[in-house]
Structures are given as C-alpha cells and as structure tokens.
C-alpha cells in the first residue's frame, strides 16, 4: 500500500486531480489518499496558502500528487518544493501525436531550489531588486542528475542552457560546473546554448534536443514553450524529486479562463501520476497508462476540446480508466 498526499489546489487543479484519481483507482494497487489544502481558496478560508498541516502530510506521504495553485503559486508550490527538498524538476516534452507534432522527445532537467525563485526581493528608492542565487553545489547536483538520467535512459546528449554572457558570475558558474561534471561522462555528447537562442532552436530544431539541464527560471519558461510544441499545457507532466520526497504535478497552473467548465485536459496530470508510479517502482502500470492515453488521443473521440473532442475532463478520464 502507498500513502499518497493529494493536494488538488485551485481552479482546474481540482478537476484534473479528480480525473487522475479515477484512473489510479482502476489499478490493482492499494493507494491510501490523504487530501490536503493549499492555494488561493485555502488562503481565503484559513488565512494561509500553505498550512503547516499540509506540509506535514506531504512530508509523511510516500508521494505527493499536486494539481495547481492560483495567484498564491509561489507561496504554495515553490515553497513545497523547498520544504520537501526536491532539488530536481523533471519535465518531459514528448509528443503523444507524432503524426501531428513530429517525434519530439526531450527531457528538461530543471534546477528546483535556487535562482530567482528564492524570492529574495527588496524595494529600493528606484524600484525593486531581486537576487538570483546560483551555488556550485546545486549546479553540480543538477548536472550530475542530468548526466545520470541521460545514461540510464539511453540518451546521448546533454545540453546546458544559461545566459552566461550577461550573468557572468551566476550563470557562468552554472556553465563551468556543468562542463566539470561532463568530464565524468565522456560517452555523452555535451553542448550549451544561451537561453534566448534555445527559445528559437526549440522551434526550429526541436529534434536536436535530448536532455536539457538548466536553472530554475529558464526551465520554467522553456517547459511551457515545450508544451506549445506538442499540443499545449494539457500534455506536459512533471516530477519534483529529492532524496526523500517526490511530488508530481502538471506543468500548467489553475487556468482560471477555463476553470469550472469541466473541459481541462487531464492528460498532464495523469502522466504526472505515471511519473509517480515510476518513482514508486510501479513502472509497468505507468507504461500501460501511457499507451492507453496515446491510443485514446489517436481515436480522437473521447478527448477534451484542446485535443479536438467534446468530452469533459471526467469523461475522458473515465474512458481511459475503462481501457
Ligand atoms: P496556466 O497554465 O494556468 O494556463 C495557461 C493557458 O493554458 C490557459 O489558456 C489555459 O486555459 C491553458 N491550459 C492550462 N492547462 C490546461 C489544461 N489542462 N487543459 C487545457 N488547457 C489548459 O497559466 P496562467 O494562465 O499563466 O496562470 C493561471 C494561474 O495559475 C495563475 O494564478 C498562476 O499563478 C497559476 N500557476 C500555478 C502553477 C502551479 O501551481 N504549479 C503553475 C503556473 C501558473
Ligand atoms: Mg510554469
């Protein structure tokens, strides 16, 4: 039996998490779910966006399934990642419709603990200053993770993304550390690009990428761009992994523009649950669910509007579960 902390959060977070539980419930695995509050609604009701109780439930669980927060996202998900010490954020950009989007398949390995996301901002007489933190230790750890990931999954190339020409000390350290770690992996090809050029190459040459390792903010931005390459934010899952905890969440947010309509694509969250199954050592079920999702998208009838169908979030999940 696995103890899963479930934090649906705000907006479509509620809808896509419910849909994902519908699929998980079909597996011959015993899950014990503990629901916990976080997000804008929680903030209105309890006066805090991320109660201590929720942090404790998340820490005590075997894994955490998270939906999305709204405007409080920085105080919820960014804080949770820090509290759980999940130093890596894995964001696979993989096309589930190769005939439509090509065989795009690369992994973004995003550093998850520092950069501008430390939220160290200060007002100054002229405006404001935000500090960006890059350490040797975190750069080493994330680079190691990326190379090991490449090796374990049969990928041949790791690309570092930074802006070391402008941010010479911080991004410069990240780049230098990346190449130091690379020396331990002579069989894996390496290169590096500036983040602005990468934003273009992802569109012009997406098949050239296998594993991207980057700092926190660039990883956030490039993963939404990656989503745009393969059908939108409804398609991209993520895994936050540390030495002791794993938190699984779609890349998207609470989508207030479609929340409450029951039309959110549940695929990103179901695929996040697949990453959770991998983390729990239940990979055979993860692969099976992925296969079924591809099949369902190909059939094209029981899918949400972003995938060209008319099914609701819950109807699509129930169809996947029925298979
Ligand atoms: P968003 O990811 O919520 O939505 C961006 C666009 O993608 C919208 O047009 C939305 O309708 C669409 N979209 C997202 N998920 C979808 C799905 N599953 N199916 C179909 N369409 C989908 O990002 P946005 O609009 O920038 O932010 C909305 C709120 O979410 C903000 O309050 C923001 O702070 C929060 N947010 C929270 C995150 C988290 O909790 N991890 C991550 C990103 C944003
Ligand atoms: Mg984001």
């Amino acid at each position: 039996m696995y103890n899963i902390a479930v934090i649906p959060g705000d907006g479509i977070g509620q809808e896509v998490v419910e849909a994902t539980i519908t699929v998980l419930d079909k597996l011959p695995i015993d899950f014990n779910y503990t629901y916990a509050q976080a997000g804008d609604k929680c903030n209105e009701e309890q006066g805090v966006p991320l109660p201590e109780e929720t942090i404790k439930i998340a820490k005590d669980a075997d894994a955490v399934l998270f939906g999305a927060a709204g405007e409080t996202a920085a105080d919820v998900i960014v804080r949770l990642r820090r509290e759980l010490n999940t130093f890596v954020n894995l964001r696979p950009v993989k096309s589930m419709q190769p005939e439509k989007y090509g065989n795009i398949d690369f992994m973004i390995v995003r550093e998850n603990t520092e950069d501008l996301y430390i939220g160290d901002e200060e007002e100054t007489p002229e405006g404001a200053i935000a500090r960006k933190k890059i350490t040797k230790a975190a750069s080493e750890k994330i680079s190691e993770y990326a190379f090991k990931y490449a090796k374990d999954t049969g990928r041949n190339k790791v690309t570092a993304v930074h802006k070391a020409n402008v941010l010479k000390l911080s991004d410069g350290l990240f780049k230098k550390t990346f190449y130091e770690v690379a020396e331990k992996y002579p069989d894996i090809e390496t290169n590096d690009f500036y983040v602005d050029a990468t934003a273009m190459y992802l569109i012009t040459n997406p098949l050239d990428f296998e594993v991207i390792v980057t700092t926190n903010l660039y990883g956030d931005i490039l993963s939404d761009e990656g989503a745009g390459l393969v059908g939108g934010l409804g398609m991209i899952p993520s895994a936050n992994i540390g030495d002791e905890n794993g938190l699984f969440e779609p890349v998207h947010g609470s989508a207030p523009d479609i929340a409450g309509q029951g039309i959110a694509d549940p695929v990103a969250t179901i695929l996040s649950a697949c990453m959770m199954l991998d983390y729990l050592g239940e990979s055979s079920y993860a692969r099976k669910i992925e296969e079924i999702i591809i099949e369902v998208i190909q059939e094209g009838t029981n899918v949400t509007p972003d995938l060209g169908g008319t099914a609701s979030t819950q109807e699509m999940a129930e169809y996947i579960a029925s298979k």
Side-chain angles (χ1 to χ4, degrees), residues 218-262:
Y218 308 147
D220 189 17
I221 297 170
L222 294 178
S223 51
D224 273 33
E225 186 182 354
L229 291 172
V230 297
L233 278 165
M235 307 303 294
I236 306 286
S238 83
N240 300 272
I241 294 175
D243 293 326
E244 264 143 41
N245 293 287
L247 182 151
F248 304 85
E249 48 157 347
V251 163
H252 65 71
S254 61
D257 55 339
I258 59 166
Q261 299 177 35

Side-chain angles (χ1 to χ4, degrees), residues 143 147 176-188 190:
S143 297
F147 279 105
K176 179 167 169 278
T177 308
F178 166 78
Y179 279 112
E180 282 167 14
V181 173
E183 282 175 23
K184 289 196 265 173
Y185 297 86
D187 296 341
I188 294 177
T190 52

Side-chain angles (χ1 to χ4, degrees), residues 8 12 15 25-26 60 78 122 131 136 139 160 181 194 206-207 219 225 236 241 243 246 265 267 274 288 300 307 313:
I12 65 165
E15 303 163 34
D25 277 345
K26 277 282 169 171
D60 290 347
V78 178
E122 149 189 27
R131 290 170 74 82
K136 175 105 187 158
S139 303
V181 173
Y194 297 125
L207 301 181
E225 186 182 354
I236 306 286
I241 294 175
D243 293 326
D265 185 340
V267 167
C274 289
K288 187 71 204 165
L307 290 165
T313 308

